Amino acid sequence: MMKKLFAVVGVTLLLAACQEEQQIAKPAAMELSAEAAGHYCQMTILDHEGPKAQIHLAGNPFPLWFSQIRDAVAFTRLPEESKDYVAIYVNDMDKAESWEQPGNNNWIDADAAFFVIESSQIGGMGAPEAIPFGTKAGAEKFSAEKGGKIVKLAEIPSAYVLKPVEFTLSDASNN
């Protein structure tokens, strides 16, 4: 009887471990295409300058797209948003052609990126941005030119991505 009990417990633990491994596996980043629409704004992602982000949710084969890195980080911090994300990818601005063309397939894991926050560079939706780089040297070079400080994803202050952005009438006419 004890052998059967140990066998059942062993098989159950093995199956649980297999299920857990499937949940941990990260999907590959998807190439940005003209069909990608921003999660919050529903605008075409390619219509905006600056780095983009994609968040993959468990069980969903399609990522949520974000026009700004700031919005993706805010998604992870908002209590009403899903917490079952399994991967967050951001454009590696070390490999970007330019600010206007950040790239369609130069994604890096957000946890591995170095972010420049509080710089003079405004994001594609007109708000302060968290600008990702694959190397600390790339982030340092950008920070030397545009100001700001270098942080890792977990160090980005929630207040930085959640605080309201004030726009003036002249801001609206410039866009």
Side-chain angles (χ1 to χ4, degrees), residues 9-143:
V9 169
V11 169
T12 303
L13 290 174
L14 192 59
L15 288 173
C18 288
Q19 270 187 330
E20 188 175 312
E21 188 175 307
Q22 284 180 343
Q23 291 174 355
I24 293 174
K26 286 186 178 185
M30 291 186 67
E31 186 169 351
L32 183 58
S33 69
E35 290 78 35
H39 177 66
Y40 291 122
C41 65
Q42 293 304 303
M43 297 169 74
T44 302
I45 294 289
L46 294 174
D47 288 347
H48 302 282
E49 299 177 346
K52 315 293 185 265
Q54 55 179 287
I55 295 180
H56 294 257
L57 302 177
N60 186 346
F62 303 104
L64 304 177
W65 293 100
F66 295 87
S67 303
Q68 279 201 217
I69 306 304
R70 167 195 170 102
D71 296 341
V73 176
F75 178 91
T76 68
R77 310 280 173 87
L78 290 168
E80 66 271 17
E81 295 293 3
S82 176
K83 299 299 176 231
D84 65 342
Y85 46 89
V86 294
I88 303 172
Y89 296 105
V90 293
N91 282 126
D92 180 353
M93 294 305 284
D94 275 330
K95 298 177 180 175
E97 181 180 316
S98 66
W99 184 258
E100 293 74 25
Q101 299 295 322
N104 294 345
N105 212 20
N106 57 327
W107 302 104
I108 57 171
D109 188 311
D111 286 326
F114 295 89
F115 295 87
V116 177
I117 61 171
E118 301 173 2
S119 75
S120 62
Q121 183 67 58
I122 299 299
M125 294 296 288
E129 184 59 295
I131 303 154
F133 293 87
T135 65
K136 189 170 185 180
E140 288 170 340
K141 180 181 177 202
F142 183 89
S143 180

